[in-house]
């Protein structure tokens, strides 16, 4: 309070001195008023006020004055906090705060002072800005930026290792000494950690062990005003010890016992040994090894990187009949342990492992794998190649039966007896396959005679030796051609040979021509090839455009075999550079199999038989037909025969020669018809030989009827009508349309062409004069 009174006294002293100075200035200036106008200025200082004043409101802040001497002058202030927090006494200029101020919320306020005439509110002086500053009184406690801090440090770290840093903030004015200075102190956990004035936490012990205690929770205090008992705040710091590899693995049990069947597969799991490593998983690197026992060649121990367990696996097959139990000692260690932090107690952990092998029914075991036999091809005397053998490895010692399972190539080339004898049903051919492979299965015969479902397999390889039983064959890459003007010695083609048999060790193939009587010669290259060259030159294409050259090839084998092959050489036209310009196309030789030839012959035979049957039918048909010339009529009188249904009869004047009653009587009685009065007899006919006409018609009808009855190929017609013969006395003569085109009629029949396709034939017959007579 004394400090506040002192400030007010100082402020009023300055204000009084300022007023006295203003008076002196006014007196001096009055003497010179006639010469110069006085300059009026604001007379006041910057204002200050303490925060959180405990005195009753309002609190006096300061006083604003002006050199204006006017009884109507009025002081006012403007600004964001004017007339709310701060107010001015309008006559004296005293400024008051009507609220308690907090520097941590706002450290200074900027206002504007004005002096006006209260009568007209006119400004007597220009406005002036002033600042009210709030003094700090150290009323805030240092506050940590967070309630809980986290830190980490490796275990077993040396003293003074930095862990983490904490921070506390004091809201008081840092420019005032002691108001914002923060100091730290560990009030819980100070036996393990300490802290400096900057907030950094350090270790105070070198033996912090994660496996003993992995986390520490300490409390840190922050306070200001060092050397005093100022206010303070606290925060919690959680410190975690990170792991290092400082512990060896230890077996959970001093011994392990496992039981496995003897047929366990190589690499299968026998069992797992477990260790305990207190370090974290990333620092577990257990290695297992054999200490005592001679079975390291039988088993191996592989560590699981995820569980740290040791997986015991067999390295070779187990046999109950040979070894029924295995016993050995194993050791677990970690080569990556940091020995600087190694704890006492020894680095070795040893355990005893016992593996008991149980007996199982095992399949037969072959005594030899694989089996291989050799035989010459086409050897009729060899029927047995050898045998395979297997035994029962179990104590029962059962008998074994052998069965052939698979064969390559597939077929009945090699057989296996029940006792394992390898047999050949027929001689082998190397050209089919140079080796034959079969799979033989061995099964045990049970006590009741059945075969066990467990079996083992053996591969049997039969290698077939070569016999020279195939002659060499000609090989040439393209069709040989030669220019007709080729010079002597010109190489036409290089030929080679192939042999299904193995190449004779005595040399190469021998090539020769079957005849020397040709315009070609053969030159051997002694590398299984030969050149065909021009012997005399100048071929004559007029005499022969294709030459057939027989070539003999021998294989030098035992016995020596040879074959004659034909080269087909075309003689072509060539240009001056020797390039072929024209060659005749020759028929390509296509090989036909025996089955195709048989099919072709069967087709040809079938076609021949069909043609023979058709010829016989036609011959029988012709034999049943009679020649119309036996009726004594000329070809001109009979032009065609038409057999139709639903006709009314003959021509209009034909009443005697064509009588339907005659036909009916003949058909019914089956005998020669007698002359009867015709209903058409009353019709007048031209004079002539009526009797002869009727007789001719009757004879012809009977003849045709007889042909129809005896011809089995024709359908049974109800009636027969014969056109083209109207009788000797008919005025209309022939009604056949086949000779109508040769009549002397003046009618133009070309209009038939416009009647459509149905009248096409008539239009062709009547429309134009035929070039020759139609004779039927």
């Amino acid at each position: 309070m004394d400090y506040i009174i002192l400030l007010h006294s100082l402020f009023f002293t300055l204000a009084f001195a300022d007023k006295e100075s203003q008076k002196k200035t006014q007196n001096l200036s009055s003497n010179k008023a006639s010469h110069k106008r006085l300059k009026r200025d604001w007379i006041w200082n910057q204002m200050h006020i303490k925060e959180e004043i405990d005195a009753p409101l309002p609190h006096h802040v300061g006083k604003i004055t002006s050199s204006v001497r006017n009884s109507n002058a009025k002081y006012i202030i403007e600004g964001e906090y004017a007339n709310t927090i701060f107010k001015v006494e309008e006559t004296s200029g005293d400024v008051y705060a009507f609220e308690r101020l907090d520097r941590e919320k706002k450290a200074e306020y900027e206002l504007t002072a004005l002096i006006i005439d209260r009568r007209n509110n006119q400004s007597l002086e220009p406005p002036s800005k002033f600042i009210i500053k709030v003094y700090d009184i150290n009323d805030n406690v240092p506050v940590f930026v967070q309630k809980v801090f986290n830190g980490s440090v490796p275990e077993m770290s040396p003293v003074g290792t930095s862990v983490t840093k904490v921070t506390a903030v004091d809201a008081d004015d840092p420019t005032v000494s002691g108001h914002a200075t923060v100091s730290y102190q560990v009030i819980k956990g100070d036996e393990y950690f300490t802290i400096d004035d900057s907030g950094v936490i350090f270790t105070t012990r070198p033996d912090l062990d994660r496996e003993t205690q992995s986390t520490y929770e300490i409390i840190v205090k922050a306070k200001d005003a060092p050397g005093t008992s100022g206010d303070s705040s606290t925060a919690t710091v959680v410190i975690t010890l990170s792991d290092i590899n400082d512990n060896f693995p230890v077996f959970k049990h001093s011994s392990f016992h496992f039981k496995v069947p003897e047929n366990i597969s190589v690499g299968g799991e026998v069992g797992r040994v477990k260790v305990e490593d207190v370090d974290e998983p990333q620092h577990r690197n257990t290695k297992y090894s054999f200490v005592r026992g001679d079975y390291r060649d039988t088993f191996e121990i592989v560590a699981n990187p995820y569980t740290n367990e040791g997986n015991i696996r067999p390295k070779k097959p187990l046999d109950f009949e040979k070894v029924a139990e295995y016993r050995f000692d194993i050791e677990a260690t970690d080569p990556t342990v940091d020995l600087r932090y190694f704890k006492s107690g020894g680095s070795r952990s040893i355990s005893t492992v016992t593996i008991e092998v149980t007996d199982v029914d095992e399949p037969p075991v072959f005594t030899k794998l694989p089996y291989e036999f050799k035989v010459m091809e086409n050897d009729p005397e060899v029927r047995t190649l050898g045998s395979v053998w297997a035994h029962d490895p179990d104590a029962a010692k059962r008998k074994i039966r052998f069965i052939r399972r698979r064969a390559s190539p597939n077929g009945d080339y090699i057989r296996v007896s029940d006792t394992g004898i390898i047999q050949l049903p027929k001689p082998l051919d190397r050209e089919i396959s140079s080796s034959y492979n079969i799979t033989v299965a061995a099964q045990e015969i049970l006590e009741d005679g059945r075969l066990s479902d467990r079996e083992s397999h053996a591969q049997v390889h039969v290698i077939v030796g070569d016999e020279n039983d195939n002659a060499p064959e000609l090989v040439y890459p393209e069709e040989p051609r030669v220019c007709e003007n080729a010079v002597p010695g010109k190489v036409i083609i290089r030929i080679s040979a192939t042999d299904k048999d193995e190449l004779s060790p005595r040399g190469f193939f021998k090539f020769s021509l079957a005849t020397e009587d040709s315009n070609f010669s053969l030159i051997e290259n002694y590398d299984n090839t030969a050149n065909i060259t021009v012997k005399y030159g100048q071929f004559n294409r007029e005499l022969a455009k294709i030459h057939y050259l027989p070539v003999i090839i021998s294989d030098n084998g035992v016995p020596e075999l040879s074959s004659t092959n034909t080269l087909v050489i075309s003689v072509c036209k060539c240009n001056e550079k020797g390039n072929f310009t024209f060659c005749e196309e020759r028929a390509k030789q296509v090989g036909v199999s025996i089955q195709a030839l048989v099919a072709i012959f069967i087709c040809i035979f079938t076609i021949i038989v069909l043609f023979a049957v058709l010829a016989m039918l036609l011959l029988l048909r012709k034999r049943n037909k009679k020649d119309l010339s036996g009726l004594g009529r000329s070809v001109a009188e009979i032009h065609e025969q038409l057999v139709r249904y639903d006709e009314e009869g003959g021509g209009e004047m034909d009443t005697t020669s064509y009588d339907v009653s005659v036909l009916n009587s003949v058909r019914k009685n089956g005998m020669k018809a007698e002359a009867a009065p015709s209903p058409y007899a009353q019709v007048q006919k031209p004079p002539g030989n009526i009797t002869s006409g009727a007789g001719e018609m009757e004879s012809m009808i009977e003849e045709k009827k007889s042909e129809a009855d005896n011809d089995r190929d024709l359908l049974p017609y109800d009636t027969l009508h014969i056109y083209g013969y109207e009788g000797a006395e008919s005025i209309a003569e022939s009604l056949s349309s086949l000779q109508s085109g040769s009549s002397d009629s003046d009618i133009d029949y070309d209009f038939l062409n416009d009647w459509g396709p149905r009248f096409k034939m008539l239009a062709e017959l009547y429309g134009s004069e035929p070039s020759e007579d139609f004779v039927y």
Side-chain angles (χ1 to χ4, degrees):
M1 190 67 186
D2 296 337
Y3 179 71
I4 298 174
I5 296 173
L6 178 64
L7 288 176
H8 277 282
S9 301
L10 179 63
F11 175 77
F12 285 119
T13 302
L14 293 174
F16 181 78
D18 184 63
K19 288 182 178 180
E20 292 297 328
S21 177
Q22 289 179 10
K23 289 180 179 181
K24 291 180 180 180
T25 303
Q26 290 177 358
N27 293 330
L28 291 175
S29 59
S30 60
N31 297 326
K32 302 178 180 178
S34 59
H35 302 283
K36 184 178 180 180
R37 183 183 177 185
L38 293 175
K39 180 181 179 181
R40 293 173 293 177
D41 296 318
W42 286 98
I43 304 174
W44 52 282
N45 293 321
Q46 190 179 35
M47 301 180 187
H48 300 83
I49 185 173
K50 281 188 176 183
E51 64 173 338
E52 303 294 345
I53 299 176
D54 198 19
L57 295 173
H59 300 150
H60 187 269
V61 178
K63 186 181 183 67
I64 56 176
T65 59
S66 175
S67 58
V68 175
R69 293 292 178 263
N70 189 332
S71 60
N72 294 319
K74 176 183 178 181
Y75 293 98
I76 62 173
I77 57 175
E78 293 179 353
E80 181 180 0
Y81 301 96
N83 301 317
T84 55
I85 296 178
F86 301 100
K87 294 181 181 180
V88 64
E89 207 286 322
E90 60 182 17
T91 57
S92 63
D94 291 322
V95 179
Y96 295 90
F98 285 80
E99 292 183 11
R100 288 182 174 83
L101 303 181
D102 188 352
R103 194 200 68 84
E104 285 69 43
K105 292 182 178 179
K106 192 171 182 63
E108 60 182 29
Y109 298 85
E110 182 178 337
L111 300 174
T112 302
L114 299 95
I115 184 169
I116 61 175
D117 190 338
R118 67 177 68 247
R119 294 172 300 180
N120 52 18
N121 291 330
Q122 294 291 326
S123 179
L124 299 177
E125 288 289 341
S128 176
K129 293 182 181 297
F130 67 97
I131 295 175
I132 300 176
K133 288 190 176 183
V134 182
Y135 283 156
D136 184 47
I137 62 172
N138 195 13
D139 58 342
N140 291 279
V141 177
V143 178
F144 285 96
V145 295
Q146 58 194 65
K147 290 294 183 180
V148 179
F149 293 86
N150 292 287
S152 177
V153 64
E155 63 173 332
M156 311 302 290
S157 296
V159 175
T161 303
S162 174
V163 178
T164 187
K165 182 179 181 179
V166 298
T167 303
V169 178
D170 193 335
D172 292 325
D173 189 357
T175 61
V176 180
S177 177
H179 283 200
T181 302
V182 180
S183 62
Y184 300 93
Q185 180 184 358
V186 177
I187 60 176
K188 178 184 176 181
D190 55 341
E191 67 271 25
Y192 304 109
F193 303 95
T194 186
I195 189 171
D196 61 9
D197 292 337
S198 63
V200 178
I201 299 175
F202 301 92
T203 61
T204 59
R205 295 180 58 176
D207 57 349
L208 298 178
D209 190 359
R210 188 195 69 87
E211 287 73 36
T212 302
Q213 183 177 349
S214 60
T215 59
Y216 294 84
E217 185 174 300
I218 66 174
I219 297 177
V220 179
K221 180 176 70 173
K223 65 177 182 177
D224 60 0
T228 66
S229 58
D231 295 329
S232 63
S233 63
T234 60
T236 301
V237 182
V238 178
I239 300 174
T240 302
L241 298 183
S242 59
D243 184 51
I244 63 173
N245 193 6
D246 58 342
N247 294 278
F248 284 96
V250 178
F251 281 110
K252 289 186 176 181
H253 305 284
S254 60
S255 63
F256 296 89
H257 185 273
F258 304 102
K259 183 181 293 187
V260 294
E262 63 175 336
N263 62 346
I264 184 174
S265 61
V266 175
E269 182 177 321
V270 174
R272 299 181 182 181
V273 294
K274 298 181 179 180
V275 296
E276 184 178 6
D277 191 338
V278 294
D279 290 325
E280 291 186 352
Q282 69 270 19
H283 293 141
R284 297 171 186 171
N285 188 22
T286 303
K287 299 297 180 183
Y288 298 90
S289 59
F290 293 91
V291 179
R292 287 182 294 273
D294 299 329
Y295 303 116
R296 58 174 50 90
D297 60 336
T298 306
F299 299 96
E300 64 178 352
I301 306 177
V302 180
N304 188 323
Y306 301 102
T307 63
N308 213 32
E309 297 173 332
N311 186 2
I312 302 177
R313 301 186 301 189
K315 297 170 62 177
K316 62 182 181 179
L318 305 182
D319 192 344
F320 170 80
E321 287 70 28
K322 292 182 179 180
V323 180
E325 184 180 274
Y326 297 88
R327 185 185 297 271
F328 48 85
D329 293 339
I330 59 174
E331 179 186 11
T333 185
D334 188 348
T336 61
V337 170
D338 193 343
L339 298 180
R340 295 178 301 171
Y341 309 110
F342 170 66
K343 304 177 182 65
S344 61
S347 62
R348 304 184 68 186
S349 179
I350 298 176
S351 179
T352 301
V353 177
T354 302
I355 300 176
E356 181 182 349
V357 181
T358 60
D359 188 24
V360 296
D361 186 12
E362 298 178 272
V365 177
F366 283 93
T367 57
K368 179 183 178 182
L369 290 174
Y371 293 88
E372 183 176 293
F373 303 98
K374 294 183 179 180
V375 63
M376 291 298 296
E377 66 173 328
N378 304 323
D379 190 346
E381 297 181 358
V382 178
R383 293 300 181 185
T384 301
L385 297 179
S387 62
V388 295
W389 180 252
H391 67 279
D392 182 7
D394 299 320
K397 301 300 179 185
R398 299 187 181 100
K399 293 183 180 181
I400 307 300
R401 178 173 293 177
F402 300 92
I403 303 171
R404 195 190 80 164
R405 288 302 187 200
R406 291 180 294 274
S408 175
N410 193 19
D412 189 23
Y413 299 106
I414 301 176
R415 296 176 182 174
V416 180
S417 68
D418 293 344
T419 58
I421 299 175
I422 308 300
Q423 301 171 337
L424 297 180
K426 59 182 179 180
L428 300 179
D429 188 358
R430 182 188 171 279
E431 281 65 52
I432 295 177
S433 178
S434 61
S435 64
Y436 294 81
N437 302 317
I438 63 171
T439 300
V440 179
Q443 291 180 299
E444 297 177 4
I445 303 176
L446 302 178
E447 288 73 9
D448 56 0
R450 295 182 297 107
L451 295 178
S452 172
D453 57 353
R454 299 179 63 81
E455 62 180 40
S456 56
H457 301 89
Q459 301 297 323
V460 177
H461 307 286
V462 179
I463 300 174
V464 183
D466 183 42
E467 181 186 38
N468 193 25
D469 57 345
N470 292 277
E473 298 176 358
L474 180 64
V475 176
Y476 50 93
E478 58 185 8
E479 296 180 356
R481 296 181 297 177
V482 62
C483 294
E484 62 179 340
N485 58 350
V487 298
K490 173 67 176 178
V491 177
I492 300 174
I493 191 173
R494 170 173 287 189
I495 61 175
S496 61
T498 183
D499 196 335
K500 295 179 181 179
D501 297 320
E502 292 182 354
L503 185 63
S504 172
R506 300 195 304 166
F508 300 101
F509 296 117
K510 292 189 299 184
F511 299 88
S512 62
L513 297 178
T515 177
E516 297 294 335
D517 187 16
S518 66
N519 195 11
F520 302 96
S521 60
L522 184 146
I523 301 175
E524 288 201 53
N525 298 323
Y526 301 103
D527 60 353
N528 282 339
T529 64
N531 292 337
I532 303 298
T533 61
V534 178
K535 188 174 184 180
Y536 304 111
Q538 296 299 326
F539 293 90
N540 191 345
R541 281 173 48 85
E542 302 298 330
L543 295 179
K545 298 178 181 178
I546 295 178
H547 293 265
Y548 298 91
L549 182 65
V551 179
I552 301 174
I553 307 175
S554 301
D555 60 4
N556 287 324
V558 179
E560 183 176 282
L561 298 178
S562 63
S563 64
T564 301
N565 304 265
T566 301
L567 270 176
V568 182
I569 303 175
S570 301
V571 180
C572 304
K573 293 182 180 181
C574 299
N575 55 22
E576 296 178 355
K577 296 181 179 180
N579 298 325
F580 299 108
T581 59
F582 177 76
C583 294
E584 273 75 18
E585 290 289 338
R586 60 184 182 184
K588 295 183 178 179
Q589 299 179 357
V590 179
V592 182
S593 63
I594 296 177
Q595 294 83 351
L597 290 175
V598 171
I600 292 172
F601 284 130
I602 292 175
C603 293
I604 294 175
F605 179 75
T606 304
I607 294 173
I608 292 174
V609 171
L610 290 176
F611 274 111
V613 172
L614 291 176
M616 292 177 65
L617 292 175
L618 291 175
L619 183 60
L620 291 174
R621 185 180 182 88
K622 288 182 179 180
R623 291 179 62 183
N624 291 331
K625 291 183 179 180
K626 301 298 183 179
D627 192 358
L628 293 178
S629 61
L631 299 177
R633 297 181 298 275
S634 63
V635 178
E637 292 177 337
I638 302 175
H639 297 287
E640 67 180 356
Q641 292 184 2
L642 297 177
V643 181
R644 297 179 62 84
Y645 294 89
D646 303 329
E647 296 292 339
E648 292 297 331
E652 57 184 11
M653 299 303 295
D654 189 2
T655 58
T656 304
S657 301
Y658 189 81
D659 192 352
V660 178
S661 61
V662 175
L663 291 175
N664 293 331
S665 62
V666 172
R667 185 182 72 242
K668 292 178 181 179
N669 300 328
M671 59 184 67
K672 187 175 182 181
E674 297 180 357
S678 173
Y680 301 100
Q682 299 178 358
V683 181
Q684 296 295 328
K685 290 184 178 182
N689 189 0
I690 300 175
T691 304
S692 62
E696 291 176 3
M697 177 60 73
E698 185 175 353
S699 299
M700 185 180 69
I701 291 174
E702 289 296 331
E703 185 71 24
K704 296 301 181 182
K705 177 178 173 300
S706 176
E707 291 180 4
D709 291 340
N710 295 325
D711 193 349
R712 297 182 181 274
D713 296 332
L714 296 178
L715 296 174
Y717 295 111
D718 293 335
T719 59
L720 288 174
H721 301 279
I722 308 302
Y723 290 87
Y725 182 71
E726 291 295 332
E729 302 301 328
S730 176
I731 299 176
E733 297 181 350
S734 175
L735 294 179
S736 173
S737 62
L738 298 179
Q739 285 186 337
S740 300
S742 61
S743 64
D744 297 334
S745 174
D746 295 336
I747 299 176
D748 186 4
Y749 293 98
D750 290 339
F751 64 88
L752 294 174
N753 294 319
D754 301 332
W755 286 15
R758 293 186 178 183
F759 297 91
K760 182 178 180 181
M761 182 60 69
L762 290 177
E764 292 178 354
L765 294 174
Y766 286 88
S768 59
E769 293 294 332
S771 59
E772 56 181 0
D773 294 337
F774 293 90
V775 180
Y776 295 91

